[in-house]
Amino acid sequence: MQATTLLPRTADLFTQGLERQAGSALLRFGAARRRPADRISWSGDGAVAWLDAPRGHVWSVGEPTAAAGLVLRATHQLPDVVREFTGPRGTETLLGRHLVVSDPVEWVFRWTLAEPPAHPAEDRVVALEAAHHGELLAFLTEHSPAHSTGPGSADVSLWAGIRGADGQLVACGALSSLRDSGAPLMASVATDAALRGQGLGAALTSWLTRYAVRRYGFCTLWQLADNAPAERLYTRLGYRNEDPCVAARISGR
């Protein structure tokens, strides 16, 4: 991998046909096909990368060595901007030879084009309004403090939940969107800790997936690689598992 100090350029992310290959669904669903005028991106032999500037996050897709080279180039060209990255597994090890890489987390980007089999408890799911945001925040804080998306987020188009016999929330989840493309992204699915294992999360996940597929034609989500229960659930619901990724911080040069 060789770094360059040339000025960043906006590349066409779709000239290599990578989005049609297994392992590149993140590019196919996550990057806006119509090139935004202000998007900074890079292209190399076997990989592409693009910058989420507000987060200082570089997304990369393709062969790990080529992807790591593009992330390295981004950090040299934009040293005060790039703080973190997502890439194919192995990118973190290759980058670690040149940069200080910290807090790596392995993820799987998953997607489906099909409605899942009906779950018997889906009829308990209800849409939640802005008036419920305080209740949602309190529930997530207690039962899923590491939730990825919170009430009031501009990326969320829908919150849904399940209530118990006493009217209190026992499960919730959101339909958010990927920043560049606007693709539907299921997020912050949580269940009351005392009621886990009763299928509430499965019912909510199934309902949100069905809603997204009917409205947009597909649904996407991020899954932690070591979450075996989620792995089984998403596979049962029909989510493809082809895109193993790693995300990490770049904490120094």
Side-chain angles (χ1 to χ4, degrees):
M1 293 183 296
Q2 294 184 344
T4 176
T5 55
L6 296 176
L7 292 176
R9 66 185 181 87
T10 297
D12 186 344
L13 298 176
F14 299 95
T15 57
Q16 300 185 62
L18 289 174
E19 76 278 11
R20 295 189 294 273
Q21 298 180 17
S24 296
L26 179 57
L27 173 62
R28 182 162 67 254
F29 293 120
R33 180 167 289 277
R34 181 175 296 175
R35 185 173 65 196
D38 60 348
R39 182 175 68 196
I40 296 174
S41 56
W42 299 265
S43 181
D45 185 14
V48 293
W50 64 101
L51 176 67
D52 179 350
R55 292 177 55 197
H57 193 110
V58 174
W59 299 89
S60 61
V61 167
E63 193 275 325
T65 299
L70 295 181
V71 177
L72 182 62
R73 185 191 306 176
T75 63
H76 279 258
Q77 292 177 340
L78 301 169
D80 297 325
V81 176
V82 177
R83 298 184 297 274
E84 56 190 34
F85 69 92
T86 294
R89 301 269 174 86
T91 305
E92 76 286 10
T93 301
L94 294 164
L95 277 174
R97 300 172 182 172
H98 306 271
L99 302 170
V100 179
V101 175
S102 62
D103 305 321
V105 179
E106 293 188 345
W107 296 85
V108 181
F109 180 73
R110 306 191 66 161
W111 54 277
T112 184
L113 305 177
E115 292 186 32
H119 190 285
E122 279 188 63
D123 59 359
R124 296 181 59 188
V125 179
V126 295
L128 301 173
E129 308 295 337
H132 301 114
H133 281 183
E135 181 184 15
L136 280 164
L137 180 59
F139 182 84
L140 287 167
T141 299
E142 180 178 358
H143 299 289
S144 183
H147 57 274
S148 59
T149 301
S153 170
D155 295 330
V156 173
S157 59
L158 174 71
W159 282 97
I162 297 176
R163 296 191 181 277
D166 59 359
Q168 298 298 307
L169 275 179
V170 294
C172 72
L175 195 61
S176 184
S177 61
L178 293 167
R179 188 188 299 271
D180 281 347
S181 65
L185 175 76
M186 185 161 33
S188 294
V189 175
T191 303
D192 186 311
L195 300 175
R196 288 172 186 164
Q198 299 184 19
L200 298 174
L204 193 61
T205 301
S206 181
W207 189 94
L208 285 168
T209 301
R210 192 179 316 284
Y211 178 95
V213 170
R214 289 181 177 179
R215 188 176 182 89
Y216 303 103
F218 64 101
C219 190
T220 69
L221 58 83
W222 286 99
Q223 176 210 315
L224 277 170
D226 60 357
N227 190 335
E231 165 74 22
R232 291 191 293 270
L233 171 61
Y234 298 145
T235 298
R236 189 165 69 246
L237 293 179
Y239 280 87
R240 302 283 289 272
N241 183 352
E242 300 172 353
D243 296 74
C245 303
V246 62
R249 298 183 186 278
I250 300 170
S251 57
R253 304 295 192 274

